[in-house]
Amino acid sequence: MGERKFIYESKSLPSWNNPISHAVVANNMCFVSGQLSVGLDGKYIAGTMKEESKRAFRNFFAAVEAAGFSKEDIVFVDIAFCDLNFLHEVNELFISLFPENKRPARTVYEVSALPFGGKIKVMGTAVKAD
């Protein structure tokens, strides 16, 4: 699989006390761990679904960029949240973040709980073209 790069520290990423990396790069692929609504200090920031979604996506994009990839390299986004009734709000944000002809593949699903009592978690994969 070649050399791997583990992204666990960056000034643009929340400080974690978890035994995982924000992202792992293998060859031309970047795998981003689930990002929540947390600040740079690693503390959960509660808010509306819209606020938490924006913060989670900001952290997701920060992990992608810290790994040397760009938003345009994102090919898959996985979104877990605690209430599917907020799907329309998440869809509106997703549409605003990704142009129509460059939207990544995506899954969304409801979970019974997220760490810190969060409302949403965003993770995904980015790939650099050869």
Side-chain angles (χ1 to χ4, degrees), residues 3-110:
E3 188 175 328
R4 295 180 191 158
K5 180 179 177 184
F6 296 86
I7 309 303
Y8 59 89
E9 198 170 37
S10 169
K11 290 182 180 182
S12 62
L13 292 168
S15 175
W16 280 7
N17 289 327
N18 292 317
I20 59 174
S21 297
H22 284 282
V24 175
V25 177
N27 297 326
N28 64 336
M29 299 178 72
C30 174
F31 303 90
V32 179
S33 295
Q35 302 296 315
L36 299 163
S37 176
V38 296
L40 291 177
D41 60 1
K43 293 182 181 177
Y44 169 68
I45 302 171
T48 65
M49 177 59 85
K50 187 174 187 176
E51 292 166 341
E52 289 198 26
S53 297
K54 284 182 179 181
R55 213 170 283 111
F57 268 102
R58 184 181 65 224
N59 290 337
F60 174 71
F61 293 141
V64 167
E65 290 170 9
F69 289 71
S70 71
K71 187 173 160 182
E72 290 74 30
D73 295 324
I74 298 168
V75 295
F76 180 73
V77 177
D78 186 295
I79 305 170
F81 47 107
C82 291
D83 187 346
L84 278 175
N85 289 314
F86 289 102
L87 179 59
H88 67 283
E89 287 183 37
V90 175
N91 278 339
E92 285 177 6
L93 178 60
F94 194 83
I95 288 167
S96 74
L97 295 172
F98 297 101
E100 183 175 349
N101 60 342
K102 295 191 179 190
R103 288 193 187 123
R106 180 186 84 168
T107 60
V108 294
Y109 50 92
E110 184 174 282

